[in-house]
Amino acid sequence: MIEVKNLKREFKMNKKYPGFKGAIKSFFSREYTIKTAVDNISFNIDDGEVVGYIGANGAGKSTTIKMMTGILTPTSGSVLVNGIVPYENREENAKSIGVVFGQKTQLWWDLPLSETFSLLKDIYDVGDKKFKERMDFLNETLGLKDFMLSPVRTLSLGQRMRADLAAAFIHNPKVIYLDEPTIGLDVVVKDNVRKAIKKINEDYGTTIILTTHDLNDIEELCNRIIIIDNGKKIYDGGLNEIKEKYGYMTSIEAQMKEKVKLEEINFIKELDVQNIEIKVIENKINITFNKNNISAADIIEKLIGKFHILDFSIKETSIEDIVKKIYKSGV
């Protein structure tokens, strides 16, 4: 479906000099520096996959997406989307993709939403029968009926985001690129948008590329993630695999009947001297351990043997913590 091979994108930037005189010199200077935004990235995405494409600000995510959608031309390397080179066949490529940008809209600001969809129907040359089928599905999945006759400018952020998702799907694209689709949304609307994305993928087999800083989106929607940093790919694999490889640290938080001191808990470290950390705040203790070496049951059994435990909870390492760990280690 999508083949990205040795993709590279460089930008020429005017050379900057410090100070006021430097600013004047920069204005007239023809010197420039080369900024590599995407550096020799390769990956394949199969038909129907939902892939998270993540990285810090400035990592090269948006530049990659712009080359995949045909907005930018690579400095070197190649992109093939559904058999099309997107930056060479922009019109043909546009008919087979959909794009949603969280902070921008493709809707007509002063028109009622229904008119926007009618215009998109004509632009993409969608037949009447297919359009009705698609709109019935989108109305049911995204709950558009309540604001279908409202001008786009009157819609709330959550309503506009659902409308943008519907607009991207009007022509039943093979691929949808979602850039921060839940940014700024409240918890309930986020959940509804995620459910809609899942249903579109499941019912139509649409390939979805998701870029986001909300890693809850990744956990909810993606089975695979690609992580880039400073323009380079540093991880490409399954979500479960990354959790197993980097998410082995687990925490137990226990509330005791009485106050305890750290020295009273230190005997727990005998289970795994190198990998156990203990924090004590009055009658609460937090024990972080390597689940590959010992189990939560081992720790709880030890605690129950010496203390009266009122309650406890077990917390696995979040995907957000795992990604931070990968960035720091420079994998």
Side-chain angles (χ1 to χ4, degrees):
M1 167 57 69
I2 298 176
E3 298 177 18
V4 173
K5 188 174 181 181
N6 301 324
L7 194 64
K8 189 172 187 177
R9 175 67 194 197
E10 296 175 339
F11 292 96
K12 285 184 179 181
M13 304 176 67
N14 288 334
K15 194 169 183 178
K16 302 294 182 183
Y17 299 92
F20 178 74
K21 289 184 178 179
I24 299 297
K25 183 179 179 181
S26 298
F27 184 77
F28 291 102
S29 174
R30 293 185 179 181
E31 293 183 82
Y32 59 85
T33 57
I34 299 294
K35 163 71 174 175
T36 302
V38 175
D39 192 1
N40 199 38
I41 286 178
S42 299
F43 56 81
N44 291 335
I45 296 174
D46 293 334
D47 193 11
E49 272 196 282
V50 183
V51 178
Y53 193 64
I54 62 177
N57 287 329
K61 304 187 305 296
S62 295
T63 303
T64 310
I65 296 299
K66 285 176 181 177
M67 288 186 282
M68 293 167 69
T69 55
I71 296 172
L72 287 177
T73 301
T75 303
S76 61
S78 62
V79 180
L80 203 62
V81 179
N82 197 31
I84 300 167
V85 179
Y87 41 85
E88 292 179 357
N89 304 280
R90 288 186 170 90
E91 186 174 339
E92 185 181 358
N93 180 64
K95 292 178 180 179
S96 66
I97 68 170
V99 181
V100 176
F101 293 106
Q103 296 177 320
K104 298 178 182 178
T105 184
Q106 60 182 311
L107 308 173
W108 278 266
W109 198 240
D110 290 312
L111 292 180
L113 186 57
S114 58
E115 291 298 319
T116 290
F117 291 151
S118 295
L119 283 170
L120 289 171
K121 168 184 178 293
D122 293 336
I123 289 171
Y124 288 111
D125 195 24
V126 180
D128 291 342
K129 184 179 179 182
K130 290 291 183 183
F131 180 73
K132 184 180 183 307
E133 289 175 1
R134 204 91 16 92
M135 288 310 304
D136 287 344
F137 170 80
L138 293 169
N139 275 322
E140 180 184 349
T141 305
L142 292 164
L144 304 173
K145 289 182 180 178
D146 291 342
F147 51 91
M148 187 66 82
L149 298 179
S150 302
V152 170
R153 57 184 164 77
T154 67
L155 303 183
S156 68
L157 179 60
Q159 290 172 332
R160 185 181 64 75
M161 187 53 61
R162 283 183 279 162
D164 264 312
L165 187 57
F169 192 67
I170 288 264
H171 55 300
N172 192 18
K174 297 288 186 182
V175 184
I176 291 183
Y177 300 95
L178 303 177
D179 185 15
E180 301 286 357
T182 63
I183 190 169
L185 305 182
D186 63 47
V187 175
V188 175
V189 177
K190 276 186 180 184
D191 187 53
N192 289 336
V193 169
R194 288 169 185 156
K195 286 178 179 176
I197 293 169
K198 276 184 180 179
K199 189 165 179 59
I200 287 171
N201 171 255
E202 290 168 359
D203 288 14
Y204 287 86
T206 309
T207 304
I208 296 173
I209 317 300
L210 172 67
T211 67
T212 181
H213 285 96
D214 188 337
L215 294 178
N216 289 321
D217 288 347
I218 300 294
E219 290 203 81
E220 287 286 331
L221 297 169
C222 305
N223 293 319
R224 174 186 171 195
I225 58 174
I226 299 171
I227 304 175
I228 66 168
D229 190 34
N230 291 321
K232 294 180 179 292
K233 184 177 73 173
I234 61 174
Y235 179 83
D236 182 356
L239 199 59
N240 290 333
E241 286 84 346
I242 197 175
K243 285 183 176 181
E244 289 175 7
K245 187 173 183 180
Y246 299 101
Y248 48 80
M249 297 305 289
T250 303
S251 295
I252 291 177
E253 186 176 278
Q255 184 173 355
M256 323 299 261
K257 186 176 182 181
E258 61 281 324
K259 289 184 180 180
V260 294
K261 297 178 180 178
L262 181 60
E263 53 266 29
E264 295 178 290
I265 305 292
N266 274 336
F267 71 95
I268 293 292
K269 289 188 174 181
E270 297 171 3
L271 292 169
D272 187 7
V273 176
Q274 298 296 321
N275 296 291
I276 291 182
E277 294 182 7
I278 302 173
K279 294 179 182 178
V280 177
I281 302 175
E282 295 185 343
N283 66 330
K284 286 186 178 181
I285 64 171
N286 186 282
I287 302 172
T288 303
F289 61 97
N290 186 334
K291 68 178 182 181
N292 292 335
N293 297 341
I294 57 174
S295 69
D298 294 331
I299 295 174
I300 296 297
E301 183 180 2
K302 287 276 189 181
L303 291 174
I304 289 175
K306 293 197 67 172
F307 302 100
H308 185 172
I309 299 177
L310 298 177
D311 194 15
F312 72 89
S313 61
I314 300 172
K315 182 184 177 184
E316 300 284 342
T317 306
S318 70
I319 187 66
E320 185 171 5
D321 291 333
I322 292 171
V323 170
K324 287 178 182 176
K325 185 184 294 185
I326 292 175
Y327 284 147
K328 287 178 181 177
S329 63
V331 175

